[in-house]
């Protein structure tokens, strides 16, 4: 596919809830943190509704759920240690992710990861999954401030890779991804299967809504 008929030159991907289902690892780390603090654990289904704004928000929501917000500083450090320990435990990509990433790579698309997950967790995940070479750039939540839903990380990725927002597509599963893309004046795909605080992603009005990752091919592959 030539650059003339390729609809975009750069595709930005969120990580959690978009490329990988990390809820099990996050729930395990959250519950180990709560247990260390003498607090009752939370069901994984509940933890899933807390994911998407980075680790600080995740821990804040977990503590608020148990009425222990004042223990944030201690809990935040505990969580990082527990999450590091179980980061790759049962780690898996959603169906079709690697195949589509490889297909887009062969077609000349530049690809990058823009996530609110702390950066020191991102590279080990991409390496363990064997997809790090698919991406020209990855940005963790502490790489560029402020985080999504600010457009700043998305625009920074465009600047670093020399691609205009008008030629960039954002792919994510949460309102944060949609709002960030809209503020950056770029098109956005909302995936229905990820983490969006229990709300339909369509409510955020992305340009396209996809139920499966491979549906991106219809937009990007001729």
């Amino acid at each position: 596919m030539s650059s003339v008929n390729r609809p975009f030159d750069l595709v930005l991907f969120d990580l959690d809830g978009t490329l990988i289902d990390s809820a099990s690892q996050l729930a395990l780390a959250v519950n180990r943190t709560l247990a260390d603090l003498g607090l009752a654990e939370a069901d994984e289904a509940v933890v899933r509704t807390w994911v998407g704004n980075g680790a600080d928000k995740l821990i804040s929501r977990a503590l608020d759920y148990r009425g222990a917000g004042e223990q944030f500083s201690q809990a935040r450090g505990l969580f990082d240690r527990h999450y590091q320990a179980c980061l790759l435990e049962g780690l898996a990509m959603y169906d079709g992710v690697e195949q589509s990433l490889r297909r887009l790579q062969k077609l000349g698309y530049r690809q990058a990861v823009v996530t609110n997950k702390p950066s020191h967790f991102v590279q080990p995940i991409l390496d363990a999954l064997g997809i790090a070479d698919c991406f020209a750039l990855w940005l963790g939540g502490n790489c560029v401030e402020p985080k999504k839903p600010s457009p700043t990380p998305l625009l920074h990725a465009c600047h670093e890779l020399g691609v205009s927002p008008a030629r960039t597509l954002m792919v994510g599963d949460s309102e944060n991804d949609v709002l960030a893309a809209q503020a950056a004046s770029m098109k956005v795909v909302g995936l229905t299967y990820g983490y969006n605080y229990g709300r339909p992603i369509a409510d955020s009005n992305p340009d396209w809504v996809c139920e499966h990752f491979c549906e991106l091919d219809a937009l990007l592959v001729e």
Side-chain angles (χ1 to χ4, degrees):
M1 182 185 289
S2 70
S3 60
V4 174
N5 56 13
R6 186 170 54 215
F8 301 97
D9 296 315
L10 172 62
V11 186
L12 306 179
F13 296 98
D14 179 48
L15 183 59
D16 297 84
T18 296
L19 302 180
I20 64 170
D21 185 358
S22 55
S24 294
Q25 294 87 7
L26 291 168
L28 185 59
V30 165
N31 281 325
R32 287 176 178 174
T33 299
L34 292 174
D36 283 351
L37 298 173
L39 301 171
E41 297 183 358
D43 290 341
E44 181 179 315
V46 176
V47 177
R48 282 179 178 270
T49 69
W50 300 337
V51 177
N53 299 96
D56 287 356
K57 284 289 189 181
L58 174 61
I59 293 304
S60 291
R61 288 167 179 151
L63 293 175
D64 288 344
Y65 187 68
R66 292 303 180 208
E70 73 282 355
Q71 299 189 63
F72 176 82
S73 295
Q74 182 182 3
R76 187 64 182 81
L78 289 169
F79 172 79
D80 272 359
R81 290 196 291 275
H82 287 310
Y83 188 48
Q84 186 71 60
C86 66
L87 183 67
L88 307 180
E89 192 173 311
L91 183 67
M93 289 176 279
Y94 288 105
D95 289 344
V97 166
E98 183 169 12
Q99 295 91 323
S100 289
L101 291 177
R102 295 292 178 195
R103 192 173 297 117
L104 298 179
Q105 185 181 38
K106 288 180 181 178
L107 289 171
Y109 281 98
R110 304 196 79 186
Q111 302 178 100
V113 171
V114 181
T115 173
N116 283 344
K117 182 187 288 295
S119 60
H120 58 281
F121 295 130
V122 179
Q123 188 72 48
I125 288 173
L126 299 181
D127 287 342
L129 294 173
I131 58 172
D133 65 297
C134 291
F135 304 107
L137 174 75
W138 58 264
L139 297 174
N142 56 314
C143 292
V144 182
E145 294 287 351
K147 302 178 180 69
K148 297 179 295 184
S150 166
T152 302
L154 281 65
L155 294 173
H156 180 79
C158 289
H159 175 76
E160 288 294 305
L161 297 175
V163 180
S164 73
R167 295 290 300 171
T168 302
L169 176 68
M170 178 69 202
V171 179
D173 63 297
S174 79
E175 182 180 48
N176 279 340
D177 300 310
V178 177
L179 292 175
Q182 291 171 340
S185 298
M186 62 180 63
K187 298 293 187 181
V188 57
V189 169
L191 298 167
T192 63
Y193 56 71
Y195 320 129
N196 191 40
Y197 329 115
R199 301 194 300 271
I201 190 64
D203 291 352
S204 299
N205 297 312
D207 296 284
W208 298 277
V209 175
C210 295
E211 294 185 2
H212 303 286
F213 195 88
C214 63
E215 290 178 36
L216 291 174
D217 291 2
L219 295 174
L220 300 173
V221 179
E222 193 174 63

